[in-house]
Amino acid sequence: MKQLKVWLCKRKEYLKILEKYYIVDIGMRYMLLGTQKIDAGHILENVVYLELLRRENKVFVGKVDHFEVDFVAQNSKGIEYYQVALTVRDEKTLQRELRHLQAIQELP
């Protein structure tokens, strides 16, 4: 398991009390939970996290007011924000996922 700190987008610092954890090896998830509790959305989020690490980013969970941004990736080029969803075909889901990123754009 890998610990992921929460990045406060407004303050540009990370929160010291909340964290999320991601499994470094997806196979371990299957071993622990079996194949009956497959949640493709969480697995996709885990894969995106691992790819961001592979690309040598410092990775955090973002927080803007009461919205959570799935990933804040920081590297020598700057900061990028990622919202991960298995599908956004439903308009409500698309709007919900975009709202988190729009909250960042509204920061001063």
Side-chain angles (χ1 to χ4, degrees):
M1 285 225 182
K2 181 92 169 129
Q3 176 187 18
L4 197 58
K5 295 187 181 288
V6 176
W7 180 261
L8 297 172
C9 297
K10 280 186 177 180
R11 296 184 192 164
K12 298 188 178 174
E13 64 184 24
Y14 61 88
L15 188 61
K16 295 171 179 52
I17 56 171
L18 293 176
E19 296 139 353
K20 283 179 90 172
Y21 291 87
Y22 286 90
I23 296 176
V24 176
D25 183 350
I26 300 291
M28 292 292 287
R29 177 185 171 99
Y30 291 125
M31 186 186 83
L32 295 171
L33 300 176
T35 57
Q36 295 175 358
K37 294 196 176 209
I38 293 178
D39 181 352
H42 283 110
I43 292 171
L44 178 61
E45 190 173 317
N46 212 117
V47 169
V48 170
Y49 169 66
L50 293 174
E51 180 61 20
L52 290 170
L53 285 180
R54 189 190 71 76
R55 294 182 184 196
E56 299 181 355
N57 290 288
K58 290 182 182 177
V59 184
F60 307 94
V61 174
K63 189 94 169 117
V64 182
D65 297 326
H66 60 279
F67 294 114
E68 180 180 292
V69 177
D70 289 334
F71 300 111
V72 177
Q74 186 177 30
N75 59 34
S76 60
K77 297 176 186 175
I79 297 176
E80 296 178 334
Y81 303 93
Y82 294 87
Q83 197 64 17
V84 180
L86 186 60
T87 180
V88 290
R89 289 183 188 168
D90 177 57
E91 185 65 27
K92 287 181 182 179
T93 303
L94 176 61
Q95 293 307 314
R96 183 187 70 231
E97 295 296 324
L98 289 176
R99 194 173 359 170
H100 301 247
L101 297 174
Q102 290 165 342
I104 294 169
Q105 292 177 352
E106 295 169 1
L107 292 177

